[in-house]
Amino acid sequence: MTRLSSQTLAHLPADVIRPAYDRAAVTCGVVHLGIGAFHRAHQAVVFDDALNAGDLRWGIIAASLRSPSVRDQMAPQDGLYTMLVRDGAAEQARLIGAVQQVIVAPEEPQALLAALASPDTHIVTLTVTEKGYKLDPATGALIESDPQLAADLASLERPQTAPGYLVAALALRKAAGLPPFTAISCDNLPHNGTRLRAAVIALARRHDPALADWIAEEGAFPETMVDRIVPATTAEDIETFTGRIGVEDQAMVKTEPFLQWVIDDRFCGPRPDFGAGVQVTAAVAPWEEAKLRLLNGAHSGIAYLGGLAGIDHVHEVLALPEARHFVESLWDEAETTLSPPAELDVAAYRRDLMARFDNPTLKHRTRQIAMDGSQKLPQRLLATIAARLAAGQGIDALALAVAAWVRWQAGQDDLGQPHQVDDPLAGPIADALAQARETESRIAAILAFDAVVPPELARDPLLADALTRWLTVLETQGARGALAAFRQ
């Protein structure tokens, strides 16, 4: 089958939206670290909008810090790929041309450093997941025991981590008399800009204190909040779309109509005239908090309860009245902990979230959301629990969601089907749980992981009691039984 490429554009159906600009005239002003489906359906689309509006400075050089798979998908297609926006029966196909090159960092570290150090580069965006920043979630310090970070602490000649690449490139820019770039974390973690800045400056200081001071004074690390549901693309999706357009697109992504990107108004160089879906603001934290505690918190609860029940997709979980009641109850609890900005109508936001969850064409897999739970739960659920307990409020729905995560660690759902626990702490958590015979002991073992549960929160007996109660129900009645019991 012929692959999508610059040469095959003329053969595409007329309803496929094409780039309105000359890709050959584009300058790459953006480097992205961690290219995956989310970047291709989110930040790349925003920069593609800028290119379509006539500002040709915002092409993207993207990098994978690990696997060559995305490069191998995109290189034969000249960096082109299709974004399918699905909403019920409606579907819109749009070609995105913003990505001009994909570099596999372990294969070509100097090529990535050259792109980061280029005078054309003004913005660096990152989607490297929570674990990519190499920071201890509890202390915020560099995880010096991490083998990749240890290598970067020893030498930055061939960086291995995202902070390592940024520090090495900023050193090159400083030596060349160039200003720093604006580095924008697009990962779902609180104070992502502050964390990225901390990782970069801490690593820089170990190599060159003057460089660290220069980055601190001249650089910019805006806080951001990103939101768009981007389910994993399946082989069936590719095959179906190939039949529709007549060429094969191995890099296609599918998503929903909704796109949101809130960016702190802190840049140290040029930026595009951001269009629809992007809000530059003086305070990202209230937006971020609402998203993490409402959308992401509910997603985690849905993922673990639905996954344990053997349900594959989010919309199928929400088809259960008892699951719908659980989500609304979780939102009721979380909403009391928010300080929403004036522009955010929380009631309308909740209605929109439920409509997004109900979108059957996305086929958002519960197991995809369940990944890296130990890294996600602190900000999605545990911070909300801490705020509720501090205010003397109940945590019933929130505790059920966390207990479902604990139950997920067993690696087997309620139907007896095995699943992989895809989490950086999967091994240590499994070992700790294996040594605990009683439900109460298993909860105590989980609460002892201070990288997940802050020690002060772990000592609160109300949390331990609520988790023990719900884990008991999950272990004896399963996720469906727990949801039914919650609704009573």
Side-chain angles (χ1 to χ4, degrees):
M1 173 60 66
T2 303
R3 290 284 289 273
L4 173 68
S5 69
S6 302
Q7 287 70 43
T8 59
L9 292 185
H11 305 293
L12 297 179
D15 64 342
V16 177
I17 301 172
R18 296 158 170 78
Y21 52 90
D22 179 3
R23 293 185 77 217
V26 169
T27 299
C28 290
V30 181
V31 174
H32 180 79
L33 304 184
I35 185 169
F38 184 78
H39 170 70
R40 301 201 303 275
H42 193 280
Q43 302 93 46
V45 178
V46 170
F47 291 115
D48 197 66
D49 287 341
L51 296 172
N52 278 321
D55 189 347
L56 300 184
R57 298 174 296 167
W58 303 108
I60 300 168
I61 296 175
S64 169
L65 300 182
R66 294 181 297 173
S67 166
S69 59
V70 176
R71 187 271 315 274
D72 295 345
Q73 292 167 356
M74 296 186 69
Q77 301 181 182
D78 303 320
L80 290 165
Y81 64 94
T82 312
M83 177 181 66
L84 282 184
V85 178
R86 293 174 169 175
D87 187 11
E91 179 179 276
Q92 181 190 76
R94 171 180 165 184
L95 281 179
I96 306 297
V99 180
Q100 303 283 295
Q101 180 184 2
V102 180
I103 297 169
V104 180
E107 295 178 8
E108 300 181 276
Q110 297 308 313
L112 178 52
L113 285 174
L116 289 162
S118 168
D120 292 330
T121 298
H122 305 298
I123 293 175
V124 176
T125 52
L126 299 90
T127 49
V128 295
T129 75
E130 292 88 343
K131 54 195 173 187
Y133 296 88
K134 307 301 181 183
L135 292 173
D136 185 307
T139 67
L142 292 172
I143 306 175
E144 298 191 22
S145 61
D146 179 273
Q148 291 181 316
L149 184 65
D152 283 355
L153 284 165
S155 172
L156 288 174
E157 288 187 11
R158 291 177 62 90
Q160 296 188 28
T161 68
Y165 272 105
L166 296 186
V167 172
L170 287 165
L172 292 173
R173 295 180 76 94
K174 181 174 183 288
L178 293 172
F181 41 65
T182 299
I184 307 178
S185 167
C186 300
D187 285 298
N188 280 318
L189 64 162
H191 313 297
N192 51 13
T194 299
R195 293 192 186 196
L196 177 59
R197 183 180 187 272
V200 168
I201 291 177
L203 181 57
R205 197 164 299 283
R206 296 288 288 270
H207 287 277
D208 181 354
L211 173 63
D213 291 342
W214 179 77
I215 295 170
E217 293 170 7
E218 303 293 334
F221 299 84
E223 310 284 356
T224 67
M225 187 274 282
V226 295
D227 189 4
R228 195 170 213 186
I229 296 173
V230 185
T233 300
T234 66
E236 182 182 0
D237 292 327
I238 294 173
E239 182 179 355
T240 300
F241 191 59
T242 297
R244 175 185 159 185
I245 67 172
V247 296
E248 186 177 60
D249 181 356
Q250 286 285 340
M252 64 168 283
V253 293
K254 59 183 183 180
T255 189
E256 61 176 335
F258 184 90
L259 182 152
Q260 186 179 38
W261 191 3
V262 182
I263 310 175
D264 189 10
D265 193 4
R266 274 187 284 157
F267 289 76
C268 61
R271 72 184 193 207
D273 183 10
F274 291 114
V278 181
Q279 182 164 0
V280 179
T281 180
V284 171
W287 296 90
E288 173 188 72
E289 190 176 66
K291 192 252 182 175
L292 286 168
R293 298 186 181 186
L294 295 177
L295 185 148
N296 297 126
H299 252 172
S300 288
I302 291 167
Y304 296 117
L305 289 164
L308 288 170
I311 303 174
D312 289 334
H313 302 112
V314 169
H315 72 279
E316 294 166 342
V317 179
L318 269 299
L320 302 175
E322 57 270 33
R324 210 172 190 85
H325 172 74
F326 159 75
V327 170
E328 292 286 2
S329 299
L330 187 148
W331 284 343
D332 287 342
E333 291 179 9
E335 185 176 338
T336 67
T337 72
L338 302 179
S339 302
E343 303 93 330
L344 179 59
D345 181 335
V346 175
Y349 184 55
R350 287 176 55 163
R351 289 193 296 272
D352 290 343
L353 287 180
M354 191 64 82
R356 294 167 66 193
F357 290 171
D358 282 337
N359 188 342
T361 56
L362 288 178
K363 296 188 181 301
H364 201 181
R365 295 181 63 84
T366 52
R367 291 194 181 189
Q368 180 188 1
I369 302 167
M371 293 171 57
D372 297 337
S374 69
Q375 310 294 296
K376 296 174 179 176
L377 259 66
Q379 58 268 19
R380 294 184 174 196
L381 295 169
L382 294 171
T384 319
I385 286 174
R388 292 274 300 181
L389 290 175
Q393 298 170 328
I395 57 167
D396 211 28
L398 292 160
L400 173 55
V402 176
W405 169 72
V406 178
R407 177 64 176 159
W408 182 258
Q409 308 309 305
Q412 182 173 288
D413 68 18
D414 297 337
L415 306 178
Q417 297 300 309
H419 58 254
Q420 179 184 2
V421 180
D422 193 343
D423 190 290
L425 293 181
I429 288 176
D431 292 342
L433 292 176
Q435 298 176 31
R437 294 183 177 274
E438 305 296 330
T439 302
E440 187 174 352
S441 299
R442 285 191 284 278
I443 293 302
I446 287 292
L447 294 177
F449 279 86
D450 57 10
V452 181
V453 187
E456 184 177 355
L457 177 61
R459 290 191 292 267
D460 193 315
L462 294 177
L463 174 60
D465 289 348
L467 293 180
T468 300
R469 175 166 53 86
W470 279 121
L471 184 57
T472 300
V473 176
L474 287 163
E475 291 176 338
T476 56
Q477 301 180 39
R480 287 178 183 258
L483 286 168
F486 182 86
R487 196 182 184 194
Q488 291 176 354

